[in-house]
Amino acid sequence: MELRHLRYFCAAAEELNITRAAAKLHMAQPPLTRQINQLEEELGVKLFIRGPRGLSLTPAGKFFHEHAIQILEKLDTTVSAVRRMVRHSREIFGIGFVPSLFYGQLPILVRELRQKENLELTLAEMTTVEQVHALKAGRIDIGFGRLVIDDPEIEQQVLFEEPMMAAVPEGHLLDGTTPTMQELAEYPIVLYPASPRPSLADIVQGLFRRRGLKLNIVQEANEMQTALGLVVSDFGITLVPEQVKRQKRDGIRYLYLAESHITSPIVCSRRRGEKPSETMKLATEILDVLVENRRSGKYP
């Protein structure tokens, strides 16, 4: 099997039409058909169901497509990284993160790593699920999110549990109180992010659902900043991680909850079984200090 077989297969799997796939690959249709038939023969399984209206993937084809994409993405990422390293003579280290973490200690980690000579940091805002895919494809080296995901290729560490807070408009009936989850459920809720899922939105919904509380979701926003803007507009209230209170914004009050155990985890994700680079060792050392500072109360 050669890489071209994977590229041909992925084109056909994405288009689900041999003619369109051939055009996308700038090749004739018969050679593409032969290459896909050869791939199926080598694997000993059918990847496509041929029908009068085009192609559809078999269960084996769907599985193979998912992993073929990861292989090609990792190859493309590696080639790009090697070219950058040769061009700049620098090591590449990628960090993925959910937006809410950039209000806390993550910028300190980035600042400390930037002091390392011959290191080029790349930062990518992405959900925890996207981080897992990016780690497996080699686009990032470490991720910081809020979901625990079971994947045999990824190891995760919960750094600490972060309290959740209610964000309400200034002058709201709850302003100045320490509300319960029951009280919050009585008001319209703005949920974020709307997509992709699963995400913090599912964590928030789960917090209410496990208490038998029904939510009145009036709006779903893709960005936290949009959700906070809707709160300022008195559209509804929302729940945010504690670190967000460090962002001073007119018209919003951040309230601690009566149930102090209402939290969201801070999760660090890495590739499982990979020998740590010197930069990864340094990042781990910095993280250990930051987490200890957090636990001992030196950093809110």
Side-chain angles (χ1 to χ4, degrees):
M1 185 184 305
E2 300 179 18
L3 282 173
R4 60 187 171 86
H5 290 114
L6 296 184
R7 297 193 188 279
Y8 294 162
F9 165 74
C10 285
E14 289 158 12
E15 297 296 332
L16 292 178
N17 182 285
I18 288 293
T19 303
R20 290 198 301 267
K24 182 177 182 179
L25 293 165
H26 305 290
M27 64 187 298
Q29 180 178 333
L32 176 59
T33 300
R34 285 196 299 272
Q35 295 291 336
I36 291 177
N37 288 339
Q38 288 174 9
L39 178 61
E40 289 182 317
E41 289 174 6
E42 183 172 350
L43 292 173
V45 297
K46 285 293 183 184
L47 300 173
F48 293 102
I49 298 172
R50 280 79 170 171
R53 296 186 178 181
L55 305 174
S56 61
L57 287 167
T58 65
K62 291 178 182 178
F63 179 84
F64 189 71
H65 183 223
E66 178 183 337
H67 288 270
I69 288 175
Q70 291 178 14
I71 291 170
L72 293 175
E73 284 183 346
K74 190 162 188 176
L75 176 64
D76 291 342
T77 301
T78 302
V79 170
S80 297
V82 168
R83 287 172 176 165
R84 288 202 306 272
M85 287 173 64
V86 171
R87 187 164 60 247
H88 303 294
S89 299
R90 307 181 77 182
E91 177 189 357
I92 311 296
F93 190 79
I95 299 176
F97 63 94
V98 295
S100 61
L101 295 186
F102 229 73
Y103 298 107
Q105 294 172 282
L106 184 56
I108 299 175
L109 171 66
V110 172
R111 186 175 67 235
E112 293 291 329
L113 286 177
R114 292 187 69 237
Q115 305 306 309
K116 189 175 187 292
E117 293 185 1
N118 299 319
L119 177 65
E120 178 182 339
L121 282 181
T122 62
L123 303 176
E125 182 180 309
M126 54 181 67
T127 67
T128 311
V129 174
E130 291 170 332
Q131 289 172 32
V132 168
H133 293 312
L135 282 165
K136 292 162 72 170
R139 295 196 302 273
I140 62 173
D141 298 285
I142 193 170
F144 298 95
R146 295 190 178 277
L147 295 178
V148 176
I149 296 174
D150 184 17
D151 190 299
E153 298 180 46
I154 302 298
E155 64 178 29
Q156 290 188 307
Q157 174 190 6
V158 177
L159 301 178
F160 56 85
E161 294 284 344
E162 180 179 10
M164 296 292 287
M165 302 185 73
V168 304
E170 187 175 5
H172 191 274
L173 289 175
L174 294 177
D175 192 355
T177 70
T178 306
T180 64
M181 295 292 286
Q182 174 72 56
E183 290 172 320
L184 293 179
E186 296 173 4
Y187 295 92
I189 294 286
V190 176
L191 204 63
Y192 71 94
S195 63
R197 307 289 276 272
S199 66
L200 182 64
D202 300 283
I203 293 177
V204 169
Q205 287 181 296
L207 291 173
F208 286 93
R209 191 181 300 115
R210 286 192 293 274
R211 289 162 177 78
L213 301 173
K214 186 176 180 180
L215 283 180
N216 174 21
I217 301 172
V218 292
Q219 184 70 42
E220 293 192 20
N222 281 331
E223 305 291 339
M224 182 178 63
Q225 290 300 325
T226 304
L228 293 177
L230 290 169
V231 171
V232 174
S233 304
D234 202 16
F235 215 82
I237 65 176
T238 193
L239 285 180
V240 298
E242 183 186 35
Q243 296 180 31
V244 177
K245 75 173 184 178
R246 299 174 64 83
Q247 179 200 359
K248 306 299 181 182
R249 182 163 182 170
D250 293 339
I252 281 190
R253 294 286 187 266
Y254 297 108
L255 312 176
Y256 281 102
L257 306 181
E259 299 99 322
S260 59
H261 60 280
I262 303 295
T263 60
S264 168
I266 305 296
V267 182
C268 175
S269 302
R270 301 178 177 89
R271 285 182 285 274
R272 186 182 301 277
E274 184 173 271
K275 183 179 179 181
S277 65
E278 291 303 315
T279 300
M280 183 65 79
K281 291 177 183 178
L282 175 59
T284 301
E285 292 173 4
I286 297 170
L287 276 176
D288 288 343
V289 173
L290 294 178
V291 170
E292 181 56 36
N293 286 345
R294 166 78 190 201
R295 289 174 176 166
S296 62
K298 294 180 182 178
Y299 191 92

